[in-house]
Amino acid sequence: MKTYRNILTIAICLLVIGIGNAQEKSKKASRYKSLSERNISVDQSVPSLLEEAEAIIETNPSRALDLVEQALATSITQKSQFNEAKCYIVLGKINENQIELELANQNYLFAYQRLAKSYANTEEFRATLEGLGRVNYELGNFEDSKQFYEQLSQTEIDENKRLEVELKLAENEVELGETPQALERVSQLEPSSTYNQSRRLQSKGRAVKARAYAKEDNFAAAEESLAPEPSVAGASDADDLDYELSEVVLEDVEADELLNIYQEQDKKEEEIALREKIAVNKTAANKPLQATKQRQAIGKVLIEQGKTSEAIEQLKQATVLADSTGSAEESASAYLALAQAYDRSGEKSSALKAYKAHSEALQRFIEEKQNQTSLRESLLRKQQGIQTLTKDLALDESSYLLDETTMELQDQQLKSQRLLIYGLLALLLLVIVGAYFIHRKAQQTKRVGQLLALKSLRSQMNPHFIFNALNSVNQFVALNDERAANKFLADFSKLMRMVLDNSQKEFITMREEREMIALYLKLEHYRFRDQFEYSFEIDSTLDLDEIEIPPMLIQPYIENAIWHGLRYKEEKGRLSVRIFQNGEGVKISIEDDGIGRFASKQLKTDNQKKKNSVGLKNTLERVSIINQVYKTNYSISISDLNTDRSGTKVEILTPSNHG
């Protein structure tokens, strides 16, 4: 009996050990649940994934982000800080390629944090410093850019790279107003044999010196520093294109700087001569995009001089070059300039043809912009997904460690009640601390997600007005009313530029919003002048340059008032837009005496209802996100204007910190 009891005891122990081993294997298999949920494999080599991603940054950025996500997940599971940093470097490059400079700066900083302490002598750390210097310069953070380039200059870099970094430091000093330091820095490079053997470095140095002198209004010295030198065989870098200027040459960077100096001094003849040589050389080098820009610039200067016929010849060449590039934006620009030149010379028929070509090119450009916006939104969502993945993997790791700690505490319970109590207290403390940090990281990730969502919503633009406006232009053209088409198109182009510029900003001043709304009302009234009259009043006591509001906040409600209220009214309607002080904030009132919301709803098709709902939903969602991110209290109310449910009144209340 005793033997059986011993065997039974051993069997139970083996069973417990077996169950424990099975649980351990199960835990290891499910340590990172987020990877299986997203179907992400971590079997491939991180360097090979990143090498493939870098090769397709320009051609297929979406696929590149997928590869970086896989590499980052692998690096996190392998607990490789170095590989994590390499992933963030590639992410920064992808962001730079998409001109998402804030995101690029953020990812380069993530790489910096992982490399600075233990990997400061690596090529990756030097690439990170260079990326931070480059991105901060483009963002206008010249002090930060200078600091990163100074740190890069103190690492182990070759002589050529050292000279490049010194020139970057000089560029930052010029922008910071430290022109004497910049000039001294460039002068110290000139004795270097490496510097003297590289036309690219010399050209960059001369351009920096010229910019510094121009900052000091010493234009004579600026021009002298750009005085071209005879071309030396073998001295020009392979990737540079020289401009023949008499018997000497100028590099791109030098020519650009010299053009700026001519413009600042209003030396139009010199500017035209230089641009002509650039255009000829660019055309010969099969670079029509750069050539058409120069031809358009020459045309503009000639028009300013009153030489319209010469300007037309230049702009004709510009349109041919622009069409050969396949760039709808350049074609639209060239044809608009040509149409305006024809207009000046009184050639109405030619002007009308050019305006039609401009309208067609502009429509293609808008479609391209919408496609680009969709791609950027998709890439931003992928970026947000990568950020969410890192958070989820951290949560998985915390959960796994928590489970291990719990099992250890259960084992300790068999040994000592006292150790169990101590263990439970330690576990409780671990849970509290872990929960705190997890919550804080989740809140940070949530904020980043909200900012990305806000940027995505802000970049959306309802094409309804754009395409209707273009139809109006085509109608004017068809009626041979080229003056009306010209006037409408000029105002419409100005509005488009304001909308596109403001869509990149989170807040704009009330003065900018007033200009955009005034122009929008003018265009809508021009199109529907028989349908309604309007008034636009702003409290004269308001400081329009100090008050800030989100862009495109007012326009959707004005559009609804016109398109869904006043347009269907039998007699001429009235639209009133008023902006006035409301306590510490501002109230924006939009009133129309149209048919009202109820009657408008009866007239709409199912498709119209869906479009209108999405537009209002996006506006309200923007306001909701802004209130959450910036801790503000914007509010919007919509009500019937009259007791018979006719007319509509919209009131937008802004908070004191933005209104």
Side-chain angles (χ1 to χ4, degrees):
M1 183 66 112
K2 190 173 181 180
T3 302
Y4 288 144
R5 190 177 297 160
N6 291 337
I7 293 173
L8 181 61
T9 302
I10 294 172
I12 292 172
C13 290
L14 290 173
L15 179 62
V16 170
I17 294 171
I19 292 173
N21 289 337
Q23 289 176 339
E24 180 68 18
K25 289 179 181 178
S26 175
K27 278 173 51 182
K28 286 183 178 178
S30 61
R31 181 166 189 159
Y32 296 105
K33 296 182 292 183
S34 301
L35 297 178
S36 57
E37 291 171 357
R38 289 173 168 81
N39 197 26
I40 296 176
S41 170
V42 292
D43 298 330
Q44 285 188 260
S45 163
V46 171
S48 63
L49 288 169
L50 295 179
E51 182 179 355
E52 183 180 352
E54 285 199 76
I56 58 174
I57 285 176
E58 293 187 3
T59 57
N60 193 350
S62 180
R63 172 60 180 162
L65 281 174
D66 290 336
L67 292 169
V68 174
E69 181 182 46
Q70 188 176 352
L72 184 57
T74 303
S75 302
I76 292 173
T77 58
Q78 293 175 351
K79 294 180 169 43
S80 172
Q81 292 270 327
F82 184 67
N83 282 339
E84 279 187 56
K86 291 170 68 176
C87 294
Y88 284 118
I89 292 172
V90 178
L91 274 177
K93 293 178 179 178
I94 295 173
N95 296 146
E96 277 193 89
N97 180 254
Q98 294 299 311
I99 320 179
E100 295 289 348
L101 299 181
E102 291 289 357
L103 281 176
N105 190 44
Q106 181 187 76
N107 284 313
Y108 282 132
L109 283 173
F110 286 155
Y112 182 90
Q113 292 164 1
R114 287 158 176 76
L115 295 172
K117 186 175 181 180
S118 304
Y119 304 99
N121 292 324
T122 62
E123 186 62 36
E124 286 73 14
F125 185 64
R126 289 189 285 273
T128 299
L129 291 173
E130 187 171 6
L132 285 166
R134 184 173 58 248
V135 169
N136 277 282
Y137 183 85
E138 293 298 325
L139 287 170
N141 303 329
F142 303 117
E143 194 64 54
D144 291 340
S145 176
K146 181 180 178 182
Q147 290 178 6
F148 286 120
Y149 277 126
E150 284 176 341
Q151 192 172 350
L152 176 59
S153 69
Q154 295 168 7
T155 63
E156 296 178 4
I157 53 178
D158 60 35
E159 178 65 7
N160 193 68
K161 177 61 71 175
R162 185 189 71 81
L163 294 170
E164 289 180 1
V165 172
E166 288 294 320
L167 289 173
K168 291 291 185 182
L169 285 167
E171 283 189 273
N172 278 289
E173 287 169 343
V174 171
E175 297 299 335
L176 290 168
E178 302 169 357
T179 52
Q181 296 92 316
L183 291 168
E184 176 64 22
R185 190 182 293 274
V186 176
S187 298
Q188 290 177 356
L189 303 181
E190 292 171 349
S192 167
S193 59
T194 303
Y195 181 83
N196 288 311
Q197 291 171 7
S198 170
R199 171 163 279 287
R200 180 175 58 84
L201 291 174
Q202 292 179 62
S203 299
K204 188 68 175 177
R206 285 194 288 269
V208 172
K209 287 176 70 174
R211 198 179 312 157
Y213 283 128
K215 277 260 187 181
E216 298 175 346
D217 293 331
N218 189 351
F219 295 112
E223 289 189 41
E224 183 180 353
S225 66
L226 287 173
E229 300 173 357
S231 178
V232 180
S236 179
D237 293 337
D239 60 347
D240 285 336
L241 177 65
D242 298 338
Y243 301 113
E244 295 184 3
L245 192 61
S246 302
E247 298 180 355
V248 292
V249 294
L250 280 177
E251 303 293 340
D252 284 4
V253 65
E254 295 174 293
D256 290 342
E257 203 60 52
L258 188 54
L259 285 171
N260 290 335
I261 292 170
Y262 284 157
Q263 288 173 342
E264 289 187 48
Q265 299 179 86
D266 199 29
K267 290 187 174 181
K268 297 189 183 300
E269 295 301 331
E270 290 84 349
E271 180 185 351
I272 290 173
L274 181 54
R275 287 192 186 278
E276 178 65 31
K277 290 179 173 61
I278 295 172
V280 169
N281 279 277
K282 291 300 182 184
T283 303
N286 195 25
K287 294 186 176 181
L289 183 61
Q290 298 178 35
T292 188
K293 289 180 182 295
Q294 296 300 329
R295 294 293 179 194
Q296 290 182 59
I298 293 172
K300 180 180 177 182
V301 175
L302 288 170
I303 287 174
E304 290 174 358
Q305 292 181 320
K307 301 176 181 178
T308 308
S309 59
E310 295 179 31
I312 289 173
E313 293 304 315
Q314 289 288 341
L315 293 171
K316 281 181 181 179
Q317 296 182 57
T319 58
V320 173
L321 290 165
D323 287 341
S324 71
T325 67
S327 169
E329 181 180 11
E330 283 304 318
S331 292
S333 174
Y335 278 112
L336 179 60
L338 180 60
Q340 291 171 341
Y342 276 133
D343 224 357
R344 279 176 171 267
S345 66
E347 301 178 48
K348 302 301 180 183
S349 176
S350 298
L352 186 59
K353 290 179 182 179
Y355 278 125
K356 288 183 67 174
H358 165 68
S359 179
E360 293 169 359
L362 181 62
Q363 189 163 356
R364 293 198 309 273
F365 173 60
I366 292 170
E367 291 171 357
E368 290 175 3
K369 270 291 183 183
Q370 290 173 338
N371 292 335
Q372 291 171 7
T373 298
S374 298
L375 174 61
R376 291 182 70 178
E377 289 174 359
S378 173
L379 295 178
L380 286 172
R381 285 193 293 271
K382 281 183 178 287
Q383 175 89 27
Q384 185 179 2
I386 293 174
Q387 293 172 339
T388 304
L389 174 63
T390 59
K391 179 201 73 171
D392 290 345
L393 291 177
L395 289 171
D396 290 344
E397 179 73 13
S398 298
S399 177
Y400 175 81
L401 293 174
L402 186 60
D403 290 343
E404 281 194 336
T405 304
T406 303
M407 289 188 65
E408 289 175 1
L409 289 172
Q410 290 174 349
D411 292 339
Q412 290 175 0
Q413 186 179 17
L414 299 175
K415 298 176 182 178
S416 171
Q417 188 68 29
R418 183 181 300 172
L419 289 177
L420 175 61
I421 296 172
Y422 292 155
L424 288 173
L425 291 174
L427 176 62
L428 180 60
L429 180 60
L430 178 63
V431 170
I432 292 173
V433 173
Y436 168 74
F437 284 106
I438 291 170
H439 175 73
R440 189 173 70 174
K441 189 167 186 178
Q443 290 298 314
Q444 292 172 346
T445 305
K446 180 181 178 182
R447 178 178 173 84
V448 172
Q450 288 174 329
L451 289 173
L452 289 171
L454 182 59
K455 186 167 187 177
S456 175
L457 287 171
R458 194 171 64 243
S459 67
Q460 296 179 22
M461 181 179 177
N462 187 354
H464 186 73
F465 171 71
I466 299 173
F467 290 113
N468 277 283
L470 289 175
N471 287 334
S472 297
V473 175
N474 289 332
Q475 182 180 358
F476 290 138
V477 173
L479 294 174
N480 288 324
D481 191 356
E482 65 87 17
R483 178 172 295 179
N486 181 24
K487 184 176 184 302
F488 186 91
L489 188 57
D491 286 342
F492 174 69
S493 300
K494 182 178 179 182
L495 177 61
M496 277 297 302
R497 175 57 60 189
M498 292 169 69
V499 170
L500 291 174
D501 288 345
N502 291 341
S503 67
Q504 302 303 312
K505 303 175 184 176
E506 295 179 5
F507 292 95
I508 63 175
T509 66
M510 184 63 76
R511 187 177 300 280
E512 291 173 319
E513 182 73 2
R514 182 192 68 179
E515 292 174 358
M516 186 172 67
I517 293 302
L519 186 54
Y520 174 73
L521 282 168
K522 177 182 175 183
L523 287 174
E524 290 287 37
H525 183 256
Y526 192 74
R527 295 166 61 197
F528 302 113
R529 51 186 174 273
D530 295 328
Q531 299 293 124
F532 73 98
E533 294 294 339
Y534 73 92
S535 64
F536 186 20
E537 303 173 12
I538 297 183
D539 188 348
S540 60
T541 62
L542 294 176
D543 189 342
L544 302 183
D545 293 318
E546 287 297 319
I547 300 170
E548 292 186 340
I549 64 171
M552 295 296 287
L553 181 64
I554 304 174
Q555 184 272 340
Y557 294 101
I558 297 178
E559 181 180 346
N560 274 348
I562 296 172
W563 280 82
H564 305 295
L566 295 168
R567 191 171 64 147
Y568 297 109
K569 190 174 181 181
E570 294 180 358
E571 65 272 19
K572 202 167 193 178
R574 181 72 184 174
L575 173 64
S576 170
V577 181
R578 294 186 304 126
I579 303 174
F580 52 94
Q581 192 76 40
N582 181 51
E584 294 185 356
V586 169
K587 178 184 285 188
I588 302 164
S589 174
I590 305 166
E591 296 181 6
D592 70 86
D593 62 355
I595 62 174
R597 294 179 297 168
F598 179 78
S600 176
K601 185 176 181 181
Q602 304 303 313
L603 294 174
K604 291 180 183 177
T605 65
D606 290 341
N607 186 49
Q608 286 174 328
K609 292 176 183 178
K610 181 178 179 181
K611 286 185 177 179
N612 187 41
S613 174
V614 170
L616 292 177
K617 180 182 177 183
N618 281 352
T619 302
L620 293 174
E621 188 173 347
R622 280 183 63 209
V623 170
S624 175
I625 293 176
I626 288 171
N627 285 338
Q628 292 179 44
V629 172
Y630 296 99
K631 309 301 181 186
T632 60
N633 56 339
Y634 285 89
S635 66
I636 301 174
S637 65
I638 306 174
S639 61
D640 295 328
L641 186 63
N642 303 311
T643 56
D644 61 355
R645 305 181 77 174
S646 67
T648 305
K649 180 177 182 179
V650 179
E651 288 187 339
I652 303 173
L653 299 179
T654 73
S656 59
N657 57 337
H658 281 289

